[in-house]
Amino acid sequence: MALFTRKFVRAGFGISTFTEYFPAPLMRRRFSLEKPLGKATLTFTGLGFYRLFVNGREITKGLLAPYTSNVDHIVYFDEYDLTDLLLPGENVIGFILGNGTRNPLGNVYLAESRFVGEPCAAFVLETEYADGASEKIEADGAVKVHASPILYNDLRIGEIYDARLEAETEGWTLPGFDDSGWTDALRSEMPRGDHRICAAPPIKKRRTLTAVSITNDGDGFIYDFGQNGAGLVCLRPDFEAGRTLVLEFAEVLKDGKLFNSPLKILDKSLGVKYTHQTVEYVCAGGAAEYRPSFTYEGARYVRITGVSGDEATEDLLTFELMSTVMEERGTFTSSDPVLNELQRIIREATLSNVMNIPTDCPHREKHGWTADAAVSAVHMLMNLDADGVLTEWMNNVSLAQKPNGAMPGTVPSATDWGFDSWNGPAWDAVLAEVPYRLWEIRGDLRAAQAASPAVFRYIPYVLGRRDELGLVHIGLGDWAAPHWIIKAPVALTDTIMCYDLCVKGAALYRALGRREMADFCLTAARGFRRAVRDNLIDHEKRLAAGDCQTSQAMAIYYNMFTEDEKPDAVDNLVRIIGRDGEHLDTGVLGVRVLFRVLSDYGHADLGYRMITRPDAPSYGNMVKRGETTLVEDFGSEDERINSRNHHFLGDISAWFISCVCGIRVNPRAESDLRRVIDGELPATPADGYDNIDVLPSFPSALDFAEASYGAPGGGIRVRLERERGAGKVNMTVTAAEGLYGEVYPPVGMKFDGCASYPLSPGVNRYEAFDGTR
C-alpha cells in the first residue's frame, strides 16, 4: 500500500502571472544510508508537473508527470523503486517543478481556480534495511532550493530557457554537490484533493520526425516535418553564448508563411510576451541538446529565428512525437487509399490528443472537453488500449460535478467555469457513455463504479432543467456542423442525449447490481423519449424535427422511432441526404451515428460515397487537400479551420472495423438497450465482450477490406475479398479460442445452405453470394 504524506514544500519564489513569472525551482534532498539496504520505495508528487532525479539519474516516469488534474479533487502521486539506485553513504533526490495546472498562466479556464498556487512537492522515501529496521524520509526543511534555467513554463504557451544558467548548478543532482548557497524550502499548504497513485499510463516518445524541407521566410527558417502531430522539439545548437533562438509553431502555412492565428491562446493586451505556442532558448556556448520540460507543442511547421542559412540544418531541429502509451488494438486496411489514409490520420489525431487525459487539440487548448471523449470512446477502444487512460480520467470527471449535479464542459476545470455554458447534455453524457463503452467493449466496470454517484446526481439535475413540454435545450448542440450552421434543434439533440445517458446509466447500475437505481434511470429515460416523440417527431411523415441528417439519424439510432417506424424513417434519411447532394451535413453528434444507421439498414454504399467524396464537406476532402491528422470540422480549405488535429469526428474508424468488416463486439448489449422501450432491461446484464458477431456491410466499390481487433479473450481478424463478375465475396475469419459468436454473410448476400456459421477458433473461410448467382 502506498505511503502518502501531508508534508508539502515549495520554493517560495511566488505565483507567476501574465506579466511577472518566476523560474522553475530546482530542489534537492540529501540523506545517508549507514547500513545495508533491503528495499527502498519513493512515493512522490510534484505539482503541477515534475522531473525526478536520483543520484544523477533521471527516473521520471514520463512527460507531464504525475498527471493533469484539479488538485482540489485528486493529488496524484507516483511510486518508484529506488532499491538499486541508492548508494552506501550520501544520496540525493533532486527534482524540478513545473507550473502545470497548479499555476496555469496560459489557461484562462483554470487561472481563476481556488487551487492555483506556487508549484509544490511532497514525497515519502521508505527504506527497509537488511537487519529488518526501517526509516522514513519526507519533504521538509532539509530540502534545498535554487532557481533553474527554465525562466518561464506553461503547458499551453511554452517555455523560456537560458542555458547560460546551467553552469551555476552543474551536478546538482549528484551526491557531493555543494548546496550551501541554496535556500531552504518552505512549508506549503497541502492541496485539498484525495491522494492516490496515478494508474494512467505515462507519456512517452513514439517516433522522431526530421524535416522534409527547410525554407527561408525572411528573418527565419521554416521546418516542415511533413506530419502534423504533438510532442517535443529537440534543439541541438552549437552557437556562441548569449545567442537567442525563438521557435514558433503552426499546423499550416499561408502564402509560404507560418499561419498560427487560429492557434492564438492569449491576447497581447494582457501584457504577455508570447500569445501562441513558443519556445525561447538562450545558448550557453558550445554544443547542447534541449527539449522543453513542462509543455508540448502541436504542429507540423516550426519557424526558428536566430540562425543563418548554413546553420539551419536538418540536425539542428527534430520533432519527437509523444503520446500516453497505448498499444495498438485494432487495424483496418482496404483497396481504397482514401479509407486507408483516413484510418491513418484518425490514429495520428487520437495519439496526438491523449496526453495524460483525452484532449481536444494539442496546441490552442489542450483541454479535456467531455463531449470529445464521449463521441470518441468507441473508436479509441476499438483501435487502441485506451482503457487505462479513460478509466483514470473518469475518476476526475466524476469529481468535477457540483453538488447540484451540474457538470463542467472540460475536465479538469476551474472552480466555477463551464457549468453554465460551453457544455450541455451531449457533453455531460460522458458520465455514462465512457463507463458504458468500457464495460460493453472491455468488460471493465471500474469507471462505472467511480461514476455511479455522479450519474445518480445528474439525472435529477437535468430533470429539473426540462421545459413545460419535458424537453431539455441547454447545450451546445450538434457542434462543428459544416459552415458552423447547426440545423438540428437543440431541444431534440439535448433531450435525446439525456435519454441515452439514462438508458446507459440503467444498464450500468444493473451490471453493478443496483436495481433500484437502474429503475430510476429507466423511468427518467421513458419520460425523455416520450417528450421527444410527443413534440419533435412527425409520426405521419416519420420525420424528426429539423428535417436534417443529424435529427433523422439520431432519432433512428437512439430509438426515438419504433422498430415499425424505422424503415420509413430511414427512407427519409436517405431522401434528406440526396437533397443535400450526398454531402455530409452533420456536426459531431450526427456524424457519430449517421454511418452506423446507413450500414445497418442496407445503405453502406451511400455512407461510403459520402465519406470518400473529394469535395467538401466530406472526409475525403481532408485527404485530398493533404491533411495529415483529422481536423475539427468539415469546412473547406477557404474557410477558417480552428484546429487541424482533432479526434472527435473519428468514429468512422470504428465504423470501418465494426461495420465495413463487421466485427461486432458484444452485439447483445445494443439489443438490450432497445428493450428499454418496452419498459425493461434483461434480467442479467450483457457481459459478452468476448462475444463477437461478424456481420459486414461491405461497400460494393471495395475489392477488399481487412480489419482486426483484440478482445479480452483474444484476437479476431476478418478479410473480405470480392470476386467481381462472380457475385461472390470470399470471407476469411481468424479467431482466437476464447471468442464466441456467429459469422454472417455481408449485408445483401447469402451463404449456401445456412444463414450463419458459429464463430470457430483458427482460420475459417466462407463464400458469400449475391442474387446474381
Side-chain angles (χ1 to χ4, degrees):
M1 180 177 292
L3 190 62
F4 296 117
T5 177
R6 300 174 65 86
K7 295 180 180 179
F8 283 74
V9 294
R10 58 187 173 89
F13 296 162
I15 301 174
S16 296
T17 67
F18 290 139
T19 55
E20 183 183 16
Y21 40 85
F22 300 99
L26 306 178
M27 307 180 82
R28 68 192 310 268
R29 173 65 156 85
R30 290 180 294 170
F31 61 95
S32 293
L33 296 181
E34 304 299 339
K35 50 186 177 179
L37 180 67
K39 183 176 177 60
T41 302
L42 179 68
T43 306
F44 186 93
T45 189
L47 307 174
F49 302 130
Y50 71 83
R51 292 177 63 188
L52 179 63
F53 305 81
V54 174
N55 292 336
R57 176 179 171 183
E58 181 164 11
I59 62 169
T60 317
K61 69 174 184 181
L63 184 67
L64 309 184
Y67 194 70
T68 308
S69 71
N70 176 332
V71 296
D72 275 355
H73 299 151
I74 300 177
V75 178
Y76 282 99
F77 285 76
D78 292 315
E79 275 192 319
Y80 295 90
D81 184 349
L82 304 191
T83 306
D84 296 332
L85 299 177
L86 300 186
L87 308 169
E90 183 179 339
N91 291 268
V92 174
I93 297 172
F95 46 96
I96 316 173
L97 298 182
N99 285 320
T101 56
R102 175 71 170 171
N103 190 184
L105 300 175
N107 192 326
V108 295
Y109 305 109
L110 295 176
E112 301 301 320
S113 296
R114 68 181 183 181
F115 60 76
V116 170
E118 186 178 351
C120 60
F123 63 83
V124 180
L125 174 62
E126 187 175 21
T127 53
E128 300 174 11
Y129 295 105
D131 63 5
S134 63
E135 186 178 5
K136 185 173 71 172
I137 299 172
E138 297 181 81
D140 53 23
V143 174
K144 298 295 184 179
V145 178
H146 195 283
S148 79
I150 304 172
L151 303 182
Y152 171 97
N153 72 94
D154 180 74
L155 175 62
R156 296 176 73 194
I157 294 292
E159 198 163 288
I160 299 175
Y161 189 92
D162 190 341
R164 295 172 299 180
L165 302 177
E166 292 174 346
E168 297 180 11
T169 57
E170 184 176 357
W172 71 277
T173 63
L174 294 168
F177 176 81
D178 181 8
D179 61 11
S180 59
W182 290 36
T183 59
D184 294 339
L186 303 179
R187 183 75 179 269
S188 178
E189 180 182 356
M190 185 179 69
R192 299 174 180 84
D194 294 335
H195 295 183
R196 64 182 293 146
I197 296 296
C198 184
I203 300 171
K204 298 286 189 181
K205 180 175 74 173
R206 56 190 185 91
R207 73 177 191 269
T208 299
L209 302 178
T210 56
V212 297
S213 69
I214 304 171
T215 57
N216 188 329
D217 77 336
D219 61 344
F221 293 86
I222 296 176
Y223 281 63
D224 176 5
F225 289 102
Q227 172 65 55
N228 201 2
L232 298 177
V233 287
C234 179
L235 184 63
R236 297 181 180 86
D238 188 1
F239 306 134
E240 73 280 3
R243 190 193 292 202
T244 299
L245 311 178
V246 177
L247 285 66
E248 300 174 89
F249 304 85
E251 297 184 292
V252 68
L253 302 181
K254 188 173 184 178
D255 300 324
K257 301 290 185 180
L258 210 67
F259 183 60
N260 58 9
S261 64
L263 309 186
K264 184 177 179 180
I265 298 168
L266 297 174
D267 193 270
K268 202 71 175 177
S269 64
L270 296 171
V272 296
K273 186 173 185 179
Y274 297 115
T275 60
H276 302 72
Q277 300 177 105
T278 306
V279 169
E280 179 183 310
Y281 179 89
V282 182
C283 299
E289 183 171 291
Y290 161 81
R291 297 169 184 82
S293 292
F294 302 119
T295 186
Y296 64 94
E297 298 83 30
R300 170 176 172 172
Y301 301 92
V302 180
R303 182 177 185 267
I304 183 169
T305 58
V307 298
S308 60
D310 59 342
E311 295 169 334
T313 63
E314 181 181 286
D315 293 335
L316 174 65
L317 193 63
T318 55
F319 191 23
E320 298 178 349
L321 299 183
M322 312 286 287
S323 180
T324 293
V325 175
M326 298 179 292
E327 298 300 324
E328 182 175 80
R329 174 178 286 157
T331 64
F332 172 81
T333 188
S334 74
S335 56
D336 189 331
V338 173
L339 296 189
N340 298 342
E341 182 64 3
L342 286 169
Q343 171 72 3
R344 190 192 73 80
I345 68 176
I346 291 168
R347 176 71 59 87
E348 288 293 330
T350 305
L351 291 170
S352 295
N353 282 292
V354 183
M355 298 286 188
N356 285 333
I357 65 173
T359 63
D360 61 329
C361 59
H363 34 66
R364 185 182 73 251
E365 295 190 10
K366 303 178 182 176
H367 279 323
W369 285 97
T370 51
D372 297 43
V375 298
S376 290
V378 173
H379 79 76
M380 289 177 68
L381 290 168
M382 291 297 293
N383 278 279
L384 298 163
D385 176 15
D387 311 26
V389 168
L390 294 174
T391 299
E392 191 62 75
W393 183 62
M394 282 304 302
N395 291 321
N396 294 264
V397 171
S398 301
L399 292 173
Q401 187 178 45
K402 282 194 169 183
N404 71 347
M407 290 295 301
T410 66
V411 177
S413 188
T415 307
D416 293 310
W417 188 91
F419 290 90
D420 298 318
S421 62
W422 294 99
N423 62 348
W427 278 245
D428 307 338
V430 71
L431 282 173
E433 177 69 12
V434 170
Y436 178 81
R437 298 304 182 182
L438 282 162
W439 170 67
E440 172 199 38
I441 296 172
R442 305 302 300 173
D444 190 338
L445 280 169
R446 290 175 297 165
Q449 188 73 45
S452 172
V455 172
F456 204 65
R457 280 194 298 268
Y458 180 79
I459 293 175
Y461 162 77
V462 80
L463 286 171
R465 301 299 302 272
R466 293 173 298 175
D467 66 12
E468 65 279 2
L469 299 176
L471 300 169
V472 180
H473 39 90
I474 59 175
L476 293 174
D478 192 28
W479 191 250
H483 320 299
W484 291 92
I485 300 172
I486 297 176
K487 296 181 178 179
V490 173
L492 178 76
T493 56
D494 272 8
T495 311
I496 286 177
M497 295 313 296
C498 289
Y499 164 83
D500 187 57
L501 183 148
C502 291
V503 169
K504 287 171 178 166
L508 291 172
Y509 284 129
R510 182 65 62 84
L512 293 169
R514 299 170 185 173
R515 178 63 183 261
E516 291 184 358
M517 299 170 83
D519 290 344
F520 170 70
C521 291
L522 290 179
T523 299
R526 294 183 200 113
F528 286 125
R529 182 172 184 268
R530 184 166 54 249
V532 171
R533 284 185 57 80
D534 288 350
N535 299 286
L536 298 174
I537 298 293
D538 184 325
H539 295 279
E540 183 178 346
K541 295 181 179 179
R542 307 290 198 256
L543 193 65
D547 190 20
C548 63
Q549 293 179 29
T550 290
S551 294
Q552 199 70 8
M554 289 184 68
I556 297 167
Y557 183 84
Y558 293 108
N559 301 305
M560 297 299 107
F561 292 107
T562 66
E563 294 302 310
D564 290 342
E565 294 167 341
K566 283 183 180 181
D568 290 339
V570 170
D571 289 344
N572 271 327
L573 175 60
V574 172
R575 173 189 59 77
I576 292 168
I577 293 170
R579 181 195 66 196
D580 296 337
E582 294 192 356
H583 277 106
L584 269 170
D585 194 19
T586 71
V588 67
L589 302 183
V591 81
R592 165 68 182 80
V593 302
L594 174 65
F595 301 110
R596 295 174 181 274
V597 170
L598 290 175
S599 56
D600 282 350
Y601 288 88
H603 297 284
D605 281 0
L606 175 57
Y608 169 83
R609 292 196 302 271
M610 295 175 73
I611 289 171
T612 58
R613 62 179 306 145
D615 53 333
S618 72
Y619 288 95
N621 183 253
M622 300 179 195
V623 174
K624 179 184 177 182
R625 67 184 188 233
E627 302 290 352
T628 59
T629 45
L630 195 67
V631 303
E632 183 178 7
D633 59 75
F634 293 111
S636 60
E637 186 64 20
D638 57 355
E639 295 180 279
R640 179 185 173 93
I641 299 173
N642 288 325
S643 167
R644 296 172 185 266
N645 198 344
H646 251 66
H647 60 84
F648 72 176
L649 299 177
D651 189 69
I652 58 167
S653 173
W655 183 76
F656 296 159
I657 296 171
S658 299
C659 296
V660 172
C661 288
I663 299 175
R664 309 289 181 111
V665 178
N666 204 346
R668 183 182 142 199
E670 185 173 342
S671 63
D672 285 353
L673 291 184
R674 289 177 178 160
R675 291 177 64 180
V676 173
I677 298 169
D678 301 321
E680 62 171 325
L681 273 179
T684 57
D687 57 359
Y689 37 85
D690 288 330
N691 175 195
I692 296 178
D693 285 352
V694 178
L695 176 57
S697 294
F698 189 34
S700 60
L702 295 181
D703 292 325
F704 79 87
E706 182 173 344
S708 67
Y709 167 72
I716 183 170
R717 181 175 296 274
V718 174
R719 182 175 176 86
L720 310 173
E721 296 178 273
R722 190 182 306 279
E723 287 191 28
R724 295 198 180 275
K728 182 170 74 167
V729 169
N730 297 309
M731 300 175 61
T732 304
V733 180
T734 306
E737 196 165 326
L739 306 181
Y740 63 97
E742 290 290 313
V743 178
Y744 297 91
V747 173
M749 305 188 80
K750 294 181 179 180
F751 291 142
D752 264 352
C754 64
S756 66
Y757 293 96
L759 181 66
S760 301
V763 180
N764 297 275
R765 294 180 173 84
Y766 311 93
E767 294 180 335
F769 300 91
D770 63 22
T772 64
R773 183 170 182 265

